[in-house]
Amino acid sequence: QVQLVESGGGSVQTGGSLRLSCVVSGFTINGYCMGWFRQAPGKEREGVAAISRGPGGTYYTDSVKGRFTVSRDNDKNILYLQMSSLESDDTGMYYCAANLGYCTAGWPRAYFRYWGQGTQVIVSS
């Protein structure tokens, strides 16, 4: 069965770093578009980063470019999101998501078929 389990969230001060992990079972992530989304209280879920199948081209929302890095370990079947220089606006629930094939343009939320339950990130001063 398909399962995506996020971990690595926590509380960190502005300027700090966290690495989120998404352990996947039920499919091989190398053949999938893998994405990270986040949702702040009272706001819509937004795409943060994605990595495509195969060669693994990466994509980022403008607000995290230069600060976040998405990667995957195909042998371990784990997706990562390395976050640095964290800001208060980065606070939210972070979700791992997946869909078979290459990432589609804009990698919208509706494109992803499989989702994890999320891990909380809190950035404070």
Side-chain angles (χ1 to χ4, degrees), residues 32-34 37 50-53 57 59 99-112:
Y32 284 69
C33 171
M34 303 295 299
F37 290 75
I51 183 167
S52 194
R53 64 160 293 183
Y59 312 91
N99 200 66
L100 180 65
Y102 295 98
C103 295
T104 193
W107 31 283
R109 177 182 177 182
Y111 167 76
F112 293 91

Side-chain angles (χ1 to χ4, degrees), residues 20 34-40 44-51 58-70 79-84 86 89-97 106-109 112 115 119 121:
L20 307 184
M34 303 295 299
W36 287 100
F37 290 75
R38 68 186 179 191
Q39 187 169 18
E44 294 295 315
R45 192 172 300 185
E46 64 171 343
V48 176
I51 183 167
T58 57
Y59 312 91
Y60 301 92
T61 191
D62 287 344
S63 64
V64 308
K65 288 180 179 178
R67 301 189 298 117
F68 290 12
T69 301
V70 62
L79 176 74
Y80 299 102
L81 183 66
Q82 178 67 51
M83 306 184 294
S84 62
L86 284 163
D89 288 346
D90 295 319
T91 294
M93 287 290 294
Y94 282 71
Y95 300 89
C96 175
W107 31 283
R109 177 182 177 182
F112 293 91
W115 293 83
T119 184
V121 172

Side-chain angles (χ1 to χ4, degrees), residues 4-52:
L4 287 69
V5 180
E6 302 97 332
S7 63
S11 182
V12 64
Q13 293 192 347
T14 299
S17 299
L18 287 171
R19 188 181 75 164
L20 307 184
S21 299
C22 174
V23 178
V24 177
S25 59
F27 64 87
T28 301
I29 65 173
N30 190 50
Y32 284 69
C33 171
M34 303 295 299
W36 287 100
F37 290 75
R38 68 186 179 191
Q39 187 169 18
K43 300 182 68 175
E44 294 295 315
R45 192 172 300 185
E46 64 171 343
V48 176
I51 183 167
S52 194

